[in-house]
Amino acid sequence: LETIATPREFTPQRARFNMSWNRLNRFEELRHDRATVLEAVSSNGLALSCAADELKRDVDLVLVAVRNNSVALRYASEELRAQRAFGLAAVSANGLSLAYLSRALRSDEEVVLTAVRDDFEAFYHAEQQLRRSRDFVLTAVSVRGNALKHVAPHLKSDPDVVIAAISENATALRYADDNLKRDRNFVLETVLHNGLCLPYFQWEFRCDREVVYAAVENNVWALAYASWEFKNDRQLVYGAVRRNGAILRSCSQELCADRELVGLAVKNGCWAFAAASQELRGDKDLALMAVKQDGLLLKYASEEVKRERSVVKAAVLQNGKALIFAAPSLKSDRELVRLAMENNRGPLPERMRQFEVIVDGLLGKEMCATLWRWADHKGYEPDLPLEEIYARFISYPGATKNEKQDFPDLGWYFQSTLEDEDSSVDSYESQLP
């Protein structure tokens, strides 16, 4: 078998399909069994080809097959493929199934629009008169801009049609007529509707000041596709970062070292901090502004800032995982570890299991030895990860006097709940994974 089979043939999905297909082929009575056929077409819609004729007229069953594979519709009954209500349901489930509907339905505007809304490639299967109709094409490209790919050639050079398409999706400009894309007036009008069209024009337009300014005014991310001189244009960049600070990553190194500009960018998009110059990533105030919005930005701060307790504390208050990026000396700070646990998403046991990296600064040889003694004392499984043992150790909700004497740090995460007298923790232990 290894010499004639490919790995793809042994996927669970393929195995289920082959089993259902073979059962339908080998046993005639199963072709009439709706439950068996339904199971088969759920795994692979093409199994509909093996179904009995009466099941090929079953609306619900055929829709299940079509949802899995549009080609399955070719095996449905001709009567069903000519029904308008069914056709609408089929193209809603899978737009490409339009190819297998009757010619009348492929000329039906509502059916075609429904198909295009699901998948723009479905427009290829519409009847020619619809793909040549300017009014209908304007409607279709307004629904899915990339449907421009399959319109009649003369409409790809129609400015109104192209503008309607790129207003929905800038990538539709790929299918516009090349001569049209060389017209500066058209280029200017296009970027006014969608700035992200800029990368689909010739380089000369990406160096054109009026075109670039218009594109960035419409969408700040157009700056990423402009020529380098505009990425160093402080006036243009200043206006862009006021709207979205993250665009700083597309700017020149000179502007990424501008304290005023970077401060404005971080205020309006915290991830601009990651694009700041190395010197500014060592600015405590900037780092504090950034980590208060997203604690994980501590990763990009300078080593000096990572040793600042106030910055690290702000970061872990926003996201407990930020402690991973703190200086080693602060990873052993109990208050910060406590805050990291409290501000980490998810149930407590799950949060505990995520501390393999965070506790790295806490666990020395002495602590490890203590944890293994604790694991032996509690009878934990030999293969239990050390971070899990640590999680159970620090979150132990109660301890006997002897345990507190032998394990002084036991349960410090819940210190406020510890009691002097012996307490039973069986109920807690039973909840541990």
Side-chain angles (χ1 to χ4, degrees):
L1 285 176
E2 292 180 357
T3 60
I4 62 173
T6 64
R8 177 177 174 272
E9 293 175 310
F10 289 95
T11 62
Q13 295 83 358
R14 184 77 175 177
R16 285 195 298 271
F17 165 66
N18 285 338
M19 184 180 297
S20 302
W21 186 289
N22 290 335
R23 290 174 67 193
L24 293 178
N25 274 325
R26 291 177 60 190
F27 303 104
E28 180 65 29
E29 64 275 13
L30 291 182
R31 298 187 182 192
H32 300 268
D33 184 75
R34 191 179 187 280
T36 301
V37 174
L38 184 60
E39 179 186 357
V41 299
S42 297
S43 299
N44 192 310
L46 297 181
L48 185 66
S49 62
C50 299
D53 290 342
E54 67 270 16
L55 293 181
K56 292 180 180 179
R57 294 190 292 270
D58 186 312
V59 173
D60 294 333
L61 189 145
V62 172
L63 285 177
V64 170
V66 169
R67 192 172 288 111
N68 179 275
N69 191 323
S70 63
V71 182
L73 189 58
R74 69 185 297 179
Y75 302 113
S77 68
E78 289 189 18
E79 177 186 356
L80 198 60
R81 288 187 283 150
Q83 292 180 11
R84 189 174 188 275
F86 172 78
L88 282 169
V91 295
S92 296
N94 192 327
L96 294 177
S97 63
L98 179 69
Y100 304 99
L101 293 177
S102 67
R103 186 172 183 177
L105 292 182
R106 286 186 277 120
S107 302
D108 187 300
E109 293 188 2
E110 184 181 1
V111 173
V112 173
L113 279 178
T114 304
V116 170
R117 186 174 287 109
D118 180 75
D119 191 325
F120 77 88
E121 296 284 5
F123 201 40
Y124 174 79
H125 303 293
E127 286 297 297
Q128 282 290 337
Q129 69 265 26
L130 289 184
R131 294 161 60 189
R132 292 177 177 275
S133 169
R134 186 176 187 273
D135 292 338
F136 181 75
V137 166
L138 278 169
T139 304
V141 297
S142 297
V143 171
R144 290 295 295 271
N146 280 322
L148 185 66
K149 177 181 179 180
H150 301 299
V151 307
H154 72 280
L155 293 177
K156 292 183 179 183
S157 59
D158 186 315
D160 292 336
V161 171
V162 177
I163 292 293
I166 62 93
S167 296
E168 196 281 326
N169 192 328
T171 62
L173 194 60
R174 294 174 297 173
Y175 308 117
D177 181 75
D178 288 338
N179 291 326
L180 189 64
K181 290 189 285 186
R182 287 192 283 267
D183 183 327
R184 187 178 184 277
N185 291 329
F186 171 76
V187 171
L188 193 55
E189 184 181 359
T190 300
V191 297
L192 285 171
H193 283 84
N194 193 332
L196 293 181
C197 289
L198 190 61
Y200 299 102
F201 292 118
Q202 294 179 342
W203 181 252
E204 64 180 282
F205 295 119
R206 293 157 71 178
C207 299
D208 186 307
R209 184 178 181 82
E210 186 179 4
V211 171
V212 172
Y213 266 71
V216 174
E217 178 64 26
N218 177 270
N219 191 311
V220 296
W221 289 105
L223 182 60
Y225 307 106
S227 67
W228 185 250
E229 64 179 293
F230 294 106
K231 296 178 182 181
N232 196 38
D233 184 327
R234 194 178 191 282
Q235 179 185 349
L236 180 63
V237 172
Y238 189 86
V241 299
R242 287 184 62 185
R243 294 155 59 197
N244 189 334
I247 191 60
L248 188 69
R249 71 181 71 171
S250 298
C251 300
S252 68
Q253 291 183 0
E254 180 181 344
L255 293 183
C256 287
D258 184 316
R259 176 64 173 77
E260 180 188 1
L261 196 64
V262 173
L264 180 63
V266 171
K267 181 181 178 181
N268 294 298
C270 61
W271 278 88
F273 182 70
S277 67
Q278 186 173 358
E279 180 183 354
L280 290 182
R281 282 188 274 129
D283 185 306
K284 179 181 174 181
D285 293 334
L286 272 181
L288 199 56
M289 187 192 306
V291 300
K292 283 182 177 180
Q293 297 177 65
D294 190 329
L296 296 181
L297 283 168
L298 184 63
K299 174 181 179 180
Y300 300 99
S302 67
E303 293 303 317
E304 182 180 353
V305 170
K306 290 178 181 179
R307 290 193 291 269
E308 288 286 345
R309 194 175 188 281
S310 58
V311 176
V312 175
K313 184 175 181 179
V316 298
L317 281 171
Q318 201 285 324
N319 189 325
K321 292 187 180 70
L323 191 58
I324 294 172
F325 306 115
S329 59
L330 293 180
K331 289 182 182 180
S332 59
D333 185 306
R334 289 192 172 188
E335 181 188 1
L336 292 179
V337 173
R338 185 195 299 272
L339 289 173
M341 285 178 155
E342 292 173 350
N343 292 285
N344 201 2
R345 298 179 179 87
L348 184 60
E350 179 61 29
R351 283 183 280 162
M352 295 293 190
R353 283 193 286 271
Q354 295 173 356
F355 273 78
E356 181 178 6
V357 180
I358 291 179
V359 301
D360 181 58
L362 280 169
L363 301 183
K365 291 183 179 180
E366 184 178 347
M367 175 59 82
C368 288
T370 300
L371 291 178
W372 290 126
R373 283 198 302 113
W374 169 249
D376 291 338
H377 172 71
K378 297 302 294 179
Y380 291 149
E381 304 84 359
D383 58 347
L384 194 66
L386 187 62
E387 64 270 16
E388 177 67 22
I389 299 172
Y390 178 76
R392 297 186 185 189
F393 181 81
I394 64 175
S395 62
Y396 196 75
T400 65
K401 291 180 179 179
N402 289 336
E403 285 176 333
K404 290 172 68 177
Q405 182 177 353
D406 293 339
F407 306 98
D409 288 333
L410 182 62
W412 65 257
Y413 182 69
F414 290 126
Q415 280 181 9
S416 61
T417 68
L418 296 181
E419 299 177 355
D420 291 334
E421 65 271 16
D422 296 348
S423 60
S424 172
V425 293
D426 292 340
S427 61
Y428 175 77
E429 289 290 322
S430 64
Q431 296 176 9
L432 290 173

Coordinates of all heavy atoms in Angstrom, one line a residue, residues 330-400:
L330 N 12.9 41.0 38.4 CA 11.5 41.3 38.7 C 10.6 40.0 38.6 O 9.5 40.0 39.1 CB 11.0 42.4 37.8 CG 11.6 43.8 38.1 CD1 11.0 44.8 37.1 CD2 11.4 44.2 39.5
K331 N 11.1 39.0 37.9 CA 10.3 37.8 37.8 C 10.2 37.1 39.1 O 9.3 36.2 39.3 CB 10.9 36.8 36.8 CG 10.8 37.3 35.3 CD 11.4 36.3 34.4 CE 11.3 36.7 32.9 NZ 11.9 35.7 32.0
S332 N 11.0 37.4 40.0 CA 11.0 36.8 41.4 C 10.3 37.7 42.4 O 10.3 37.4 43.6 CB 12.4 36.5 41.9 OG 13.2 37.7 41.9
D333 N 9.7 38.8 41.9 CA 8.9 39.7 42.7 C 7.5 39.1 43.0 O 6.7 39.0 42.1 CB 8.8 41.1 42.1 CG 8.2 42.1 43.0 OD1 7.0 41.9 43.4 OD2 8.8 43.2 43.2
R334 N 7.2 38.8 44.2 CA 6.0 38.0 44.5 C 4.8 38.8 44.2 O 3.8 38.3 43.7 CB 6.0 37.6 46.0 CG 6.9 36.5 46.3 CD 6.7 35.9 47.6 NE 7.5 34.7 47.9 CZ 7.4 33.9 48.9 NH1 6.5 34.2 49.8 NH2 8.2 32.9 49.0
E335 N 4.8 40.1 44.4 CA 3.6 41.0 44.1 C 3.4 41.0 42.6 O 2.2 40.8 42.2 CB 3.8 42.4 44.6 CG 2.6 43.3 44.3 CD 2.8 44.7 44.6 OE1 3.9 45.1 45.0 OE2 1.9 45.5 44.3
L336 N 4.4 41.1 41.8 CA 4.3 41.1 40.4 C 3.8 39.7 39.9 O 2.9 39.7 38.9 CB 5.6 41.4 39.7 CG 6.1 42.9 39.9 CD1 7.4 43.1 39.2 CD2 5.0 43.9 39.4
V337 N 4.3 38.6 40.4 CA 3.8 37.3 40.0 C 2.3 37.1 40.4 O 1.5 36.6 39.6 CB 4.6 36.2 40.7 CG1 4.0 34.8 40.4 CG2 6.1 36.2 40.1
R338 N 2.0 37.6 41.5 CA 0.6 37.6 42.0 C -0.3 38.4 41.0 O -1.4 37.9 40.5 CB 0.4 38.1 43.4 CG -1.0 38.0 43.9 CD -1.2 38.9 45.2 NE -0.3 38.5 46.2 CZ -0.5 37.6 47.2 NH1 -1.7 37.0 47.1 NH2 0.3 37.4 48.1
L339 N 0.1 39.6 40.6 CA -0.7 40.4 39.7 C -0.7 39.7 38.3 O -1.8 39.8 37.6 CB 0.0 41.8 39.6 CG -0.1 42.7 40.8 CD1 0.7 44.0 40.6 CD2 -1.6 43.1 41.0
A340 N 0.4 39.1 37.9 CA 0.4 38.4 36.6 C -0.7 37.3 36.6 O -1.4 37.1 35.6 CB 1.8 37.8 36.3
M341 N -0.7 36.6 37.7 CA -1.7 35.5 37.8 C -3.2 36.0 37.8 O -4.0 35.5 37.1 CB -1.5 34.7 39.1 CG -0.3 33.8 39.0 SD -0.2 32.9 40.6 CE 0.7 31.5 40.1
E342 N -3.4 37.1 38.5 CA -4.7 37.7 38.6 C -5.2 38.3 37.3 O -6.4 38.4 37.0 CB -4.8 38.7 39.7 CG -4.6 38.1 41.1 CD -4.5 39.2 42.2 OE1 -4.3 40.3 41.8 OE2 -4.5 38.8 43.4
N343 N -4.2 38.8 36.5 CA -4.6 39.4 35.2 C -4.3 38.6 34.0 O -4.2 39.1 32.9 CB -3.8 40.8 35.1 CG -4.3 41.8 36.2 OD1 -5.4 42.4 36.0 ND2 -3.5 41.9 37.2
N344 N -4.2 37.3 34.2 CA -4.0 36.4 33.1 C -5.4 35.8 32.8 O -6.1 35.4 33.7 CB -3.0 35.3 33.4 CG -2.4 34.6 32.2 OD1 -2.8 35.0 31.1 ND2 -1.6 33.6 32.4
R345 N -5.8 35.7 31.5 CA -7.1 35.3 31.2 C -7.2 33.8 31.4 O -6.3 33.0 31.3 CB -7.4 35.6 29.7 CG -7.4 37.1 29.5 CD -7.7 37.4 28.0 NE -7.7 38.8 27.7 CZ -6.7 39.5 27.4 NH1 -5.5 38.9 27.4 NH2 -6.7 40.8 27.2
G346 N -8.5 33.4 31.7 CA -8.8 31.9 31.8 C -8.9 31.5 33.3 O -8.6 32.3 34.2
P347 N -9.5 30.3 33.5 CA -9.7 29.8 34.9 C -8.3 29.7 35.6 O -7.3 29.5 34.9 CB -10.3 28.4 34.6 CG -10.8 28.5 33.3 CD -10.0 29.4 32.5
L348 N -8.3 29.7 36.9 CA -7.1 29.7 37.7 C -6.2 28.5 37.3 O -5.0 28.7 37.1 CB -7.4 29.7 39.2 CG -6.2 29.8 40.1 CD1 -5.4 31.0 39.8 CD2 -6.6 29.8 41.5
P349 N -6.7 27.3 37.3 CA -5.8 26.1 37.0 C -5.1 26.3 35.6 O -4.0 26.0 35.5 CB -6.8 24.9 37.0 CG -7.9 25.3 37.9 CD -8.1 26.8 37.6
E350 N -5.9 26.8 34.6 CA -5.3 27.0 33.3 C -4.2 28.1 33.4 O -3.2 28.0 32.8 CB -6.4 27.4 32.3 CG -5.9 27.7 30.9 CD -5.2 26.5 30.3 OE1 -5.6 25.3 30.6 OE2 -4.3 26.6 29.4
R351 N -4.5 29.2 34.1 CA -3.5 30.2 34.3 C -2.2 29.7 34.9 O -1.1 30.0 34.6 CB -4.0 31.4 35.1 CG -5.0 32.2 34.3 CD -5.5 33.4 35.2 NE -6.5 33.0 36.1 CZ -6.9 33.6 37.2 NH1 -6.2 34.7 37.5 NH2 -7.8 33.2 38.0
M352 N -2.4 28.8 35.9 CA -1.3 28.2 36.6 C -0.4 27.4 35.7 O 0.8 27.5 35.8 CB -1.7 27.3 37.7 CG -2.5 27.9 38.8 SD -1.5 29.0 39.8 CE -2.6 29.4 41.2
R353 N -1.0 26.8 34.7 CA -0.2 25.9 33.8 C 0.6 26.7 32.8 O 1.4 26.1 32.1 CB -1.1 24.9 33.1 CG -1.6 23.8 33.9 CD -2.3 22.7 33.1 NE -3.6 23.1 32.6 CZ -4.7 22.9 33.3 NH1 -4.6 22.3 34.5 NH2 -5.9 23.3 32.8
Q354 N 0.4 28.0 32.7 CA 1.1 28.8 31.8 C 2.3 29.5 32.3 O 2.9 30.4 31.7 CB 0.1 29.9 31.2 CG -1.0 29.3 30.5 CD -2.1 30.4 30.1 OE1 -1.9 31.6 30.5 NE2 -3.1 30.1 29.4
F355 N 2.8 29.0 33.5 CA 3.9 29.8 34.1 C 5.3 29.1 34.0 O 6.2 29.4 34.7 CB 3.6 29.9 35.6 CG 2.7 31.2 35.9 CD1 1.4 31.2 35.6 CD2 3.4 32.3 36.3 CE1 0.7 32.3 35.8 CE2 2.6 33.5 36.5 CZ 1.3 33.5 36.2
E356 N 5.4 28.3 33.0 CA 6.7 27.6 32.8 C 7.8 28.6 32.5 O 8.9 28.5 33.1 CB 6.6 26.7 31.6 CG 7.9 25.9 31.3 CD 7.8 24.9 30.2 OE1 6.7 24.9 29.5 OE2 8.7 24.2 29.9
V357 N 7.5 29.7 31.8 CA 8.5 30.7 31.5 C 8.5 31.7 32.6 O 9.6 32.2 33.1 CB 8.2 31.4 30.2 CG1 9.2 32.5 29.9 CG2 8.2 30.4 29.0
I358 N 7.3 32.1 33.1 CA 7.3 33.2 34.1 C 8.0 32.9 35.4 O 8.7 33.7 36.0 CB 5.8 33.6 34.4 CG1 5.1 34.2 33.2 CG2 5.7 34.5 35.6 CD1 3.7 34.6 33.3
V359 N 7.9 31.6 35.8 CA 8.5 31.3 37.1 C 10.0 31.0 37.0 O 10.6 30.7 38.0 CB 7.8 30.0 37.7 CG1 6.3 30.3 37.9 CG2 8.0 28.8 36.9
D360 N 10.5 31.1 35.8 CA 11.9 30.8 35.6 C 12.8 31.6 36.5 O 13.8 31.1 37.0 CB 12.3 31.2 34.1 CG 13.7 30.8 33.8 OD1 14.1 29.7 34.0 OD2 14.5 31.8 33.4
G361 N 12.4 32.9 36.8 CA 13.2 33.7 37.7 C 13.0 33.3 39.2 O 13.8 33.8 40.0
L362 N 12.0 32.5 39.5 CA 11.7 32.1 40.8 C 12.4 30.8 41.3 O 12.7 30.6 42.4 CB 10.2 32.0 41.0 CG 9.4 33.3 41.2 CD1 7.9 33.0 41.1 CD2 9.7 33.9 42.6
L363 N 12.5 29.9 40.3 CA 12.9 28.6 40.7 C 14.4 28.4 40.6 O 15.0 28.3 39.6 CB 12.2 27.6 39.7 CG 10.7 27.6 39.7 CD1 10.2 26.5 38.8 CD2 10.1 27.5 41.1
G364 N 15.0 28.3 41.8 CA 16.4 27.9 41.8 C 16.5 26.5 42.3 O 15.5 25.8 42.4
K365 N 17.7 26.0 42.5 CA 17.9 24.6 42.9 C 17.2 24.3 44.2 O 16.6 23.3 44.4 CB 19.4 24.3 43.1 CG 20.2 24.3 41.7 CD 21.6 24.0 42.0 CE 22.4 23.9 40.6 NZ 23.8 23.6 40.8
E366 N 17.3 25.3 45.2 CA 16.6 25.0 46.5 C 15.1 24.9 46.3 O 14.5 24.0 46.9 CB 17.0 26.2 47.4 CG 16.4 26.0 48.8 CD 16.8 27.2 49.7 OE1 17.7 27.9 49.3 OE2 16.3 27.2 50.8
M367 N 14.5 25.8 45.5 CA 13.1 25.7 45.3 C 12.7 24.4 44.6 O 11.7 23.8 44.9 CB 12.6 27.0 44.5 CG 11.1 26.9 44.2 SD 10.0 26.8 45.6 CE 10.0 28.5 46.1
C368 N 13.4 24.1 43.6 CA 13.1 22.8 42.9 C 13.2 21.6 43.8 O 12.3 20.8 43.7 CB 14.1 22.6 41.7 SG 13.9 23.8 40.3
A369 N 14.2 21.6 44.7 CA 14.2 20.5 45.6 C 13.0 20.5 46.6 O 12.5 19.4 46.9 CB 15.5 20.6 46.5
T370 N 12.6 21.7 47.0 CA 11.4 21.8 47.8 C 10.2 21.3 47.1 O 9.3 20.6 47.7 CB 11.2 23.3 48.2 OG1 12.3 23.7 48.9 CG2 9.9 23.4 49.1
L371 N 10.1 21.6 45.8 CA 8.9 21.2 45.0 C 8.8 19.7 44.9 O 7.8 19.1 45.0 CB 8.9 21.9 43.7 CG 8.6 23.4 43.7 CD1 8.7 24.0 42.2 CD2 7.3 23.7 44.3
W372 N 10.0 19.1 44.6 CA 10.0 17.6 44.5 C 9.7 17.0 45.8 O 9.0 16.0 45.8 CB 11.4 17.2 44.0 CG 11.7 17.5 42.6 CD1 12.7 18.2 42.1 CD2 10.8 17.3 41.4 NE1 12.6 18.4 40.7 CE2 11.5 17.8 40.3 CE3 9.6 16.7 41.3 CZ2 10.9 17.7 39.0 CZ3 9.0 16.6 40.0 CH2 9.7 17.1 38.9
R373 N 10.1 17.6 46.9 CA 9.7 17.0 48.3 C 8.2 17.1 48.5 O 7.6 16.2 49.0 CB 10.5 17.8 49.4 CG 11.9 17.4 49.6 CD 12.5 17.8 50.9 NE 12.4 19.2 51.1 CZ 11.6 19.8 52.1 NH1 10.8 19.0 52.8 NH2 11.6 21.1 52.2
W374 N 7.7 18.3 48.0 CA 6.2 18.5 48.2 C 5.5 17.5 47.3 O 4.5 16.9 47.7 CB 5.9 19.9 47.7 CG 4.5 20.2 47.6 CD1 3.8 20.5 46.4 CD2 3.5 20.3 48.6 NE1 2.5 20.7 46.6 CE2 2.2 20.6 48.0 CE3 3.5 20.1 50.0 CZ2 1.1 20.7 48.7 CZ3 2.3 20.2 50.7 CH2 1.1 20.5 50.1
A375 N 6.0 17.2 46.1 CA 5.3 16.3 45.2 C 5.3 14.9 45.8 O 4.3 14.2 45.7 CB 6.0 16.3 43.8
D376 N 6.4 14.5 46.4 CA 6.5 13.2 47.1 C 5.5 13.1 48.3 O 4.9 12.1 48.5 CB 7.9 12.9 47.5 CG 8.9 12.6 46.4 OD1 8.4 12.3 45.3 OD2 10.1 12.8 46.5
H377 N 5.5 14.2 49.0 CA 4.6 14.3 50.2 C 3.2 14.2 49.8 O 2.4 13.5 50.5 CB 4.9 15.7 50.9 CG 3.9 16.0 52.0 ND1 3.9 15.3 53.2 CD2 2.9 16.8 52.1 CE1 3.0 15.7 54.0 NE2 2.3 16.7 53.3
K378 N 2.8 14.8 48.7 CA 1.4 14.7 48.3 C 1.1 13.5 47.4 O -0.1 13.2 47.1 CB 1.0 16.0 47.5 CG 1.1 17.2 48.3 CD 0.2 17.2 49.5 CE -1.3 17.2 49.2 NZ -2.2 17.1 50.4
G379 N 2.1 12.8 47.0 CA 1.9 11.6 46.1 C 1.5 11.9 44.7 O 0.7 11.2 44.1
Y380 N 2.0 13.1 44.2 CA 1.7 13.4 42.8 C 2.3 12.5 41.8 O 3.3 11.8 42.1 CB 2.1 14.9 42.5 CG 1.4 15.9 43.2 CD1 2.0 17.1 43.6 CD2 0.0 15.8 43.6 CE1 1.3 18.1 44.3 CE2 -0.7 16.7 44.2 CZ 0.0 17.9 44.6 OH -0.7 18.9 45.3
E381 N 1.8 12.5 40.6 CA 2.3 11.6 39.5 C 3.7 11.9 39.2 O 4.1 13.1 39.2 CB 1.4 11.7 38.3 CG 0.0 11.5 38.4 CD -0.8 12.7 38.9 OE1 -0.1 13.8 39.1 OE2 -2.0 12.6 39.1
P382 N 4.6 10.9 39.0 CA 6.0 11.2 38.7 C 6.3 12.0 37.5 O 7.3 12.8 37.5 CB 6.6 9.8 38.5 CG 5.6 8.8 39.2 CD 4.3 9.5 39.0
D383 N 5.4 12.0 36.5 CA 5.6 12.7 35.3 C 4.9 14.1 35.3 O 4.8 14.8 34.2 CB 5.2 11.9 34.0 CG 3.7 11.6 34.1 OD1 3.1 11.7 35.2 OD2 3.1 11.1 33.1
L384 N 4.4 14.5 36.4 CA 3.7 15.8 36.5 C 4.7 17.0 36.2 O 5.8 17.0 36.9 CB 3.1 16.0 37.9 CG 2.1 17.1 38.0 CD1 0.8 16.9 37.2 CD2 1.7 17.3 39.5
P385 N 4.5 17.9 35.3 CA 5.4 19.0 35.0 C 5.7 19.8 36.2 O 4.9 20.0 37.1 CB 4.7 19.8 33.9 CG 3.7 18.9 33.3 CD 3.3 18.0 34.5
L386 N 7.0 20.3 36.3 CA 7.4 21.1 37.5 C 6.5 22.3 37.6 O 6.2 22.7 38.8 CB 8.9 21.4 37.3 CG 9.5 22.1 38.6 CD1 9.5 21.2 39.8 CD2 10.9 22.5 38.3
E387 N 6.2 23.0 36.5 CA 5.4 24.2 36.6 C 4.0 23.9 37.2 O 3.4 24.7 37.9 CB 5.3 24.9 35.3 CG 4.5 24.2 34.2 CD 5.4 23.3 33.4 OE1 6.6 23.0 33.8 OE2 5.0 22.9 32.3
E388 N 3.5 22.7 36.9 CA 2.2 22.3 37.5 C 2.3 22.1 39.0 O 1.5 22.5 39.8 CB 1.7 21.1 36.8 CG 0.3 20.5 37.4 CD -0.8 21.5 37.1 OE1 -0.7 22.3 36.2 OE2 -1.8 21.4 37.9
I389 N 3.4 21.4 39.4 CA 3.7 21.3 40.8 C 3.8 22.6 41.5 O 3.2 22.8 42.6 CB 4.9 20.4 41.1 CG1 4.8 19.0 40.5 CG2 5.3 20.3 42.6 CD1 6.0 18.2 40.5
Y390 N 4.5 23.5 40.9 CA 4.7 24.9 41.4 C 3.4 25.6 41.6 O 3.1 26.2 42.6 CB 5.6 25.7 40.5 CG 5.9 27.1 41.0 CD1 6.7 27.4 42.1 CD2 5.2 28.1 40.3 CE1 6.9 28.7 42.5 CE2 5.4 29.4 40.8 CZ 6.3 29.7 41.8 OH 6.5 31.0 42.2
A391 N 2.5 25.4 40.6 CA 1.2 26.1 40.6 C 0.4 25.5 41.8 O -0.3 26.3 42.5 CB 0.4 25.8 39.3
R392 N 0.4 24.2 42.0 CA -0.3 23.7 43.1 C 0.3 24.1 44.5 O -0.5 24.3 45.4 CB -0.4 22.1 43.0 CG -1.1 21.6 41.7 CD -1.2 20.1 41.7 NE -1.7 19.7 40.5 CZ -2.1 18.4 40.3 NH1 -2.0 17.5 41.2 NH2 -2.6 18.0 39.1
F393 N 1.6 24.2 44.5 CA 2.3 24.5 45.7 C 1.9 26.0 46.2 O 1.5 26.2 47.3 CB 3.8 24.4 45.5 CG 4.6 24.7 46.7 CD1 4.8 23.8 47.7 CD2 5.2 26.0 46.9 CE1 5.6 24.0 48.8 CE2 6.0 26.2 48.0 CZ 6.2 25.3 48.9
I394 N 2.0 26.9 45.3 CA 1.8 28.3 45.7 C 0.3 28.6 45.9 O 0.0 29.6 46.5 CB 2.4 29.3 44.7 CG1 1.7 29.2 43.3 CG2 3.9 29.1 44.6 CD1 2.2 30.3 42.3
S395 N -0.6 27.8 45.3 CA -2.0 28.1 45.4 C -2.7 27.2 46.4 O -3.9 27.1 46.5 CB -2.7 27.9 44.0 OG -2.6 26.6 43.6
Y396 N -1.9 26.4 47.2 CA -2.5 25.5 48.2 C -3.3 26.4 49.2 O -2.8 27.3 49.9 CB -1.3 24.8 48.9 CG -1.8 23.6 49.7 CD1 -2.2 22.4 49.0 CD2 -1.9 23.6 51.1 CE1 -2.6 21.3 49.7 CE2 -2.3 22.4 51.8 CZ -2.6 21.3 51.1 OH -3.0 20.2 51.7
P397 N -4.6 26.1 49.4 CA -5.5 27.0 50.2 C -5.4 26.8 51.7 O -5.9 27.6 52.4 CB -6.8 26.6 49.6 CG -6.7 25.2 49.3 CD -5.3 25.0 48.8
G398 N -4.7 25.7 52.1 CA -4.7 25.5 53.6 C -3.5 24.6 53.9 O -3.1 23.8 53.1
A399 N -3.0 24.6 55.1 CA -1.9 23.8 55.4 C -1.9 23.5 56.9 O -2.4 24.3 57.8 CB -0.6 24.5 55.1
T400 N -1.5 22.3 57.3 CA -1.3 21.9 58.7 C -0.1 22.6 59.3 O 0.7 23.1 58.5 CB -1.2 20.4 58.8 OG1 0.1 20.0 58.2 CG2 -2.3 19.6 58.1

